Amino acid sequence: MDKRTDSGVSPVIGTFLLLALSVVMITLVTISVMGIMGSYTPVYERSVGFTIDVNSSNDSALITPVSGTDLPFLQSYDVYTDNGHWYSPSPGGVTVDKFNSTVTFINIVGHFPEYVNALVFSGKVAVEGGVIVVVPAGGGYYVVGTDGYNTTTEFADSFNEWYNTYYNTGLNPGDPGYDVVTVSNKDLEFSNENPIIVGDQPIELSPDNIHDLSTGNIKILIKEGGNIVRAPGYYDALLQIGNASDHGVTQVTIEKKAGAPFTLNGSNIDGVTSPLIMVTSKGSLVVQKDATLIVENNLNVNGDGFGGGIYVANNGELVVSGTLRANSNSAKYGGGIYKASGGSVTTQGTGNIIYSGNTAVIAGPNIYNAL
């Protein structure tokens, strides 16, 4: 039942960001909606993010495109819910009525140049008193789990199973294209075109989490090409390197590979309490020559607020021989990078750290060096 306040109180407006992830031929939620959308068959991949501002006093919602790599190319879009269809002839916002507890799903079809139509969001929702809970079609966000993994292959398989379920690829283990994370000598290669959406705790690269790694110093190679993003409602780090309980140091190296860089994206979600990458006291992060690592769009201004992009702990190490880009991150200290006392951040050879649009509430918009 919707909860409303009638006497002398402004309407409660709940705002929610939809991580719009377009999927080729994603299965729609109901047969009736498939019928309605018959002329808009989505066959292209496009990425656009939307906000939903819910006004529970009149059962309406303002849906507005706000982010995504394809936002500049969005010309118009259609919104479909259980209660009808709304069309926005421009990239501006559209007001959807009958947006209450009877709504169980949202599908948004974007229209782009050259007659390209793409399903930019499809998800189940629950609306209760202006609060939205989104469960994307195909299942929930990637869950790291608390028990760890017996082998590196088992660890990689957890990504592959989630990815093919979430994005409804129709592929089975062994099919070409099924594996978006592969293993070779305990090195990981990420090749996911759509993001891995982390929703419960950091992806931890350490013997404590991946049990077949050695108990001494180890090295893990990650090739460029993957991208990891923060899910709505998740406020911790996306990647953790090493664990304080490890006997040795875990070194993670980003290696050059043809294609896109390795990217971690905080999705500009409010309430975050951690950087995107935590390099612990038993961790080392190396960006190899000619490789590129991007950390962007993280708002770590709550809690301690140490580091928007990367936190390097005491005895932790960040070495950049290639390119590290820290874009549009915020923190209390160190919008781009926070280096704790005793930590190390260095560039080698032609290595370069490029800061763009980072801010700090207190000190160090790009990097903060704790004494």
Side-chain angles (χ1 to χ4, degrees):
M1 179 180 295
D2 288 343
K3 300 176 182 177
R4 299 180 176 85
T5 302
D6 296 324
S7 57
V9 180
S10 298
V12 175
I13 298 179
T15 302
F16 198 93
L17 172 66
L18 294 181
L19 285 180
L21 307 166
S22 67
V23 184
V24 176
M25 296 302 292
I26 191 169
T27 302
L28 301 184
V29 179
T30 66
I31 294 176
S32 62
V33 174
M34 289 182 69
I36 295 172
M37 295 176 61
S39 61
Y40 298 123
T41 304
V43 295
Y44 294 92
E45 294 185 5
R46 294 293 184 270
S47 176
V48 180
F50 294 78
T51 57
I52 297 184
D53 294 333
V54 181
N55 192 328
S56 60
S57 70
N58 62 7
D59 291 348
S60 70
L62 176 64
I63 298 180
T64 308
V66 295
S67 63
T69 55
D70 294 299
L71 177 60
F73 311 106
L74 181 68
Q75 296 178 329
S76 61
Y77 60 96
D78 291 86
V79 177
Y80 301 87
T81 74
D82 309 67
N83 295 329
H85 162 226
W86 291 263
Y87 173 66
S88 175
S90 72
V94 62
T95 298
V96 173
D97 57 14
K98 303 178 185 177
F99 204 88
N100 51 37
S101 58
T102 64
V103 173
T104 63
F105 68 84
I106 303 173
N107 291 316
I108 303 176
V109 175
H111 308 297
F112 301 87
E114 299 181 358
Y115 304 100
V116 170
N117 303 309
L119 183 63
V120 289
F121 183 81
S122 179
K124 297 179 181 179
V125 301
V127 182
E128 189 67 34
V131 177
I132 305 174
V133 177
V134 177
V135 181
Y141 304 121
Y142 176 75
V143 175
V144 177
T146 58
D147 296 330
Y149 301 88
N150 291 322
T151 66
T152 310
T153 298
E154 183 181 301
F155 178 64
D157 286 344
S158 72
F159 292 105
N160 296 326
E161 181 180 357
W162 173 85
Y163 188 92
N164 286 278
T165 299
Y166 184 92
Y167 291 112
N168 195 30
T169 65
L171 300 175
N172 297 308
D175 290 346
Y178 177 86
D179 291 335
V180 295
V181 181
T182 55
V183 178
S184 176
N185 296 323
K186 298 185 176 63
D187 294 333
L188 301 169
E189 180 173 346
F190 288 78
S191 58
N192 53 299
E193 293 182 1
N194 292 311
I196 294 171
I197 310 172
V198 177
D200 77 324
Q201 65 187 73
I203 297 171
E204 182 179 325
L205 300 176
S206 76
D208 186 70
N209 186 50
I210 307 171
H211 304 323
D212 69 340
L213 297 178
S214 65
T215 56
N217 294 341
I218 61 171
K219 294 184 178 181
I220 300 174
L221 200 65
I222 296 181
K223 294 188 177 181
E224 293 178 315
N227 60 101
I228 302 172
V229 304
R230 183 189 304 284
Y234 173 62
Y235 306 124
D236 209 339
L238 297 185
L239 186 65
Q240 177 181 320
I241 300 174
N243 187 291
S245 65
D246 294 343
H247 296 289
V249 173
T250 298
Q251 182 185 94
V252 173
T253 299
I254 309 298
E255 182 189 50
K256 172 66 179 176
K257 187 184 81 171
F262 192 75
T263 303
L264 293 96
N265 192 324
S267 307
N268 285 324
I269 292 174
D270 291 329
V272 170
T273 56
S274 294
L276 293 171
I277 300 177
M278 293 279 296
V279 182
T280 70
S281 60
K282 296 295 182 69
S284 172
L285 174 60
V286 177
V287 182
Q288 202 174 65
K289 183 180 179 181
D290 297 327
T292 300
L293 170 65
I294 298 176
V295 289
E296 60 186 4
N297 301 325
N298 195 48
L299 307 177
N300 181 19
V301 295
N302 299 279
D304 292 334
F306 292 162
I310 301 175
Y311 173 89
V312 182
N314 177 31
N315 294 323
E317 179 184 54
L318 170 62
V319 179
V320 180
S321 298
T323 300
L324 168 62
R325 295 182 179 272
N327 303 328
S328 302
N329 302 292
S330 297
K332 290 181 179 178
Y333 299 89
I337 299 171
Y338 180 97
K339 183 186 75 66
S341 176
S344 173
V345 176
T346 59
T347 57
Q348 295 182 349
T350 58
N352 192 17
I353 302 177
I354 301 173
Y355 301 99
S356 176
N358 302 290
T359 60
V361 176
I362 299 175
N366 290 324
I367 184 169
Y368 183 86
N369 295 294
L371 301 177

